[in-house]
Amino acid sequence: MMNTEEQILAAARKVFINKGFDGARMQEIADEAGINKALLHYYFRTKEKLFERIFSESFQLIKPVFNLALGPEPDLHQFIRQFVNAYHALLKQMPFLPQFVLQELNRNPGRMIGLIGKQQIPMNDIKRVIDAEVKKGNISAVSPENLIVNLISLIIFPFVARPVLQEVVFGGDDAAFDNFLNGRSESIIQFFLLALSPEKS
Amino acid sequence: MMNTEEQILAAARKVFINKGFDGARMQEIADEAGINKALLHYYFRTKEKLFERIFSESFQLIKPVFNLALGPEPDLHQFIRQFVNAYHALLKQMPFLPQFVLQELNRNPGRMIGLIGKQQIPMNDIKRVIDAEVKKGNISAVSPENLIVNLISLIIFPFVARPVLQEVVFGGDDAAFDNFLNGRSESIIQFFLLALSPEKS
DNA sequence: GTCTATAACCGGATAGAC
DNA sequence: GTCTATCCGGTTATAGAC
């Protein structure tokens, strides 16, 4: 059995993630946790503080992207495959995380400060790897920024835009969309490998 | 000079789009429009009604995607080029529209009903075009659903995720990100054409 | 630690004068 | 059409008993 603090965190996670900060109600979190509002404030003095806890925890989960360090003998194809699969596996379990994080980040961009902590993607390393691969004739030239952004976009966007996409591309069929998501990892990888393959017309 | 109703709509647009429904305040809209709350309610009885007006108008703007009909003698490459350029031009002017629409759609997916009106992307037509192109040896095989979703993802995502991407990929440099967006259209098109080009390894 | 009760405030909506 | 003043419900937060 969870202790009270864990109960609260689980409830807050649920409510904040699907209502956002402004839409969330302390009452609803309390109900969800099976306690009352007063106790909520006893554990986390304010709504803001409770939210910060949930948000930063969520951000840490989404963040693995930024840790994408390349090994000493990097194989770009292998790297892409692993990255897509790993990230996709996470999102299958927490499909609403990206929308939540992006939403709150847009409302308050300054919140990122302190969460990222000067952590940046090592663009120069990536560029070096790409240049080397290009020189070996393994892939065609791309800007590393566009490559990274493309990778992330293809993975995350379907989760953020599910309602529209499901309605308009899959005729509203829920199961069809789930099915689509299941094959999505492999499709993204193929798409990428094709785009990177050296032969051009 | 705008009349009062137009003033209100302009103000509401601004406030709703960057605070969302829950975060928006009627007072702020009134201030922004240079009038008072009472007058706001005189023109649009409730916050909900005013919001619906702004939201459906925004949705209509974002929607051109769905109207993507292919001509009788369709050239897929040309179609992609035009589509990306047109959509991108819209987003450069209204960069916050997608985040707004996606956010509200996630909070209340049922809202789409009546806005879309059974309008679906003609997947079968697209599939037919793709199959024909594949048979002619012009492109490599792809599922039409993945193709459409990829197209939309690559275009929209950078606008939705600007805060994170700018920070982590561009070291927080605002001008660098704008610059990135300027070259983005062409980069997406190239990426697509490469992925679709028939030669495979 | 956990509860009930309540304070303090905020925000959408209305009444009514001009 | 536009304003000032006000109502009223809901929401965060605290006091204080157990």
Side-chain angles (χ1 to χ4, degrees):
Chain A
M1 180 57 178
M2 288 164 121
N3 66 25
T4 304
E5 181 164 344
E6 285 165 341
Q7 298 263 79
I8 293 177
L9 286 172
R13 215 167 281 136
K14 182 169 173 184
V15 174
F16 277 132
I17 286 178
N18 71 80
K19 305 272 173 94
F21 179 82
D22 292 324
R25 294 291 165 258
M26 293 298 264
Q27 184 61 60
E28 189 179 352
I29 296 175
D31 293 346
E32 185 74 33
I35 56 165
N36 58 54
K37 279 190 297 175
L39 200 51
L40 218 51
H41 284 93
Y42 173 79
Y43 277 88
F44 303 87
R45 291 194 46 81
T46 67
K47 181 182 180 183
E48 187 69 41
K49 285 193 201 317
L50 179 53
F51 175 81
E52 288 297 345
R53 174 77 173 266
I54 300 300
F55 180 77
S56 89
E57 161 198 305
S58 303
F59 189 84
Q60 302 308 321
L61 280 172
I62 286 293
K63 207 176 68 162
V65 210
F66 316 151
N67 300 340
L68 35 70
L70 294 96
E73 190 73 42
D75 174 342
L76 196 59
H77 289 188
Q78 200 53 31
F79 167 74
I80 290 174
R81 160 162 264 113
Q82 283 171 0
F83 181 74
V84 172
N85 282 330
Y87 213 116
H88 225 259
L90 168 71
L91 294 185
K92 289 293 277 302
Q93 280 178 0
M94 339 205 64
F96 299 116
L97 225 48
Q99 169 61 28
F100 171 63
V101 171
L102 291 178
Q103 174 188 167
E104 301 297 341
L105 235 35
N106 271 289
R107 296 258 158 289
N108 184 353
R111 236 192 299 255
M112 246 177 335
I113 301 171
L115 285 180
I116 287 190
K118 293 275 161 266
Q119 200 172 30
Q120 283 167 22
I121 297 183
M123 281 300 152
N124 287 336
D125 293 355
I126 298 179
K127 193 170 188 55
R128 198 173 311 121
V129 173
I130 292 177
D131 288 347
E133 295 276 58
V134 171
K135 208 159 281 173
K136 279 192 278 180
N138 289 342
I139 67 170
S140 58
V142 262
S143 108
E145 286 84 5
N146 275 290
L147 184 119
I148 294 292
V149 171
N150 290 353
L151 201 50
I152 301 177
S153 301
L154 292 180
I155 297 170
I156 295 185
F157 191 74
F159 289 87
V160 174
R162 172 158 191 166
V164 218
L165 294 178
Q166 179 170 315
E167 189 65 29
V168 97
V169 179
F170 293 87
D173 185 338
D174 210 77
F177 199 85
D178 280 332
N179 190 49
F180 166 76
L181 285 182
N182 280 327
R184 180 77 183 153
S185 261
E186 201 49 43
S187 166
I188 293 177
I189 294 168
Q190 285 315 312
F191 191 75
F192 247 85
L193 297 191
L194 283 171
L196 290 181
S197 76
E199 310 88 329
K200 275 158 286 185
S201 45
Chain B
M1 180 57 177
M2 287 164 122
N3 66 27
T4 305
E5 181 165 344
E6 286 164 341
Q7 297 263 78
I8 293 176
L9 286 172
R13 214 167 282 136
K14 181 169 171 182
V15 175
F16 277 133
I17 286 178
N18 71 87
K19 306 270 174 96
F21 179 82
D22 291 326
R25 293 293 165 255
M26 293 299 263
Q27 185 60 60
E28 189 178 353
I29 296 175
D31 293 347
E32 185 73 34
I35 56 165
N36 58 55
K37 276 193 298 176
L39 200 51
L40 218 50
H41 284 93
Y42 173 79
Y43 277 88
F44 304 87
R45 291 195 48 82
T46 67
K47 181 183 182 184
E48 187 69 42
K49 286 193 201 319
L50 179 53
F51 174 80
E52 289 296 347
R53 175 76 173 266
I54 301 301
F55 180 78
S56 89
E57 159 198 308
S58 303
F59 188 85
Q60 302 307 323
L61 281 172
I62 286 294
K63 206 176 67 162
V65 211
F66 315 150
N67 300 340
L68 35 70
L70 295 97
E73 190 72 43
D75 174 342
L76 197 59
H77 289 187
Q78 199 54 31
F79 167 75
I80 289 174
R81 162 161 263 114
Q82 284 171 0
F83 181 73
V84 172
N85 282 331
Y87 213 116
H88 225 259
L90 168 71
L91 294 185
K92 291 291 277 300
Q93 280 177 1
M94 339 206 65
F96 300 116
L97 226 47
Q99 169 62 28
F100 171 62
V101 170
L102 291 178
Q103 173 188 171
E104 300 298 339
L105 237 34
N106 272 288
R107 295 260 159 289
N108 184 353
R111 237 195 295 258
M112 248 176 335
I113 300 170
L115 285 180
I116 287 191
K118 294 278 161 262
Q119 201 172 29
Q120 285 168 20
I121 297 185
M123 282 300 154
N124 288 335
D125 294 355
I126 298 179
K127 193 169 188 55
R128 198 172 313 122
V129 172
I130 292 177
D131 288 346
E133 295 275 59
V134 170
K135 207 160 283 173
K136 280 192 278 181
N138 288 342
I139 65 169
S140 57
V142 260
S143 109
E145 285 85 4
N146 275 289
L147 183 117
I148 294 291
V149 171
N150 290 352
L151 202 48
I152 302 177
S153 300
L154 292 180
I155 298 170
I156 295 184
F157 190 74
F159 290 88
V160 174
R162 172 158 190 165
V164 217
L165 294 178
Q166 179 171 317
E167 190 63 31
V168 98
V169 179
F170 294 87
D173 184 338
D174 210 76
F177 198 85
D178 280 331
N179 190 49
F180 166 75
L181 285 181
N182 279 327
R184 179 78 181 153
S185 261
E186 201 49 41
S187 165
I188 293 176
I189 294 168
Q190 286 315 312
F191 191 75
F192 247 85
L193 297 191
L194 284 172
L196 290 181
S197 75
E199 309 89 327
K200 276 156 285 185
S201 46

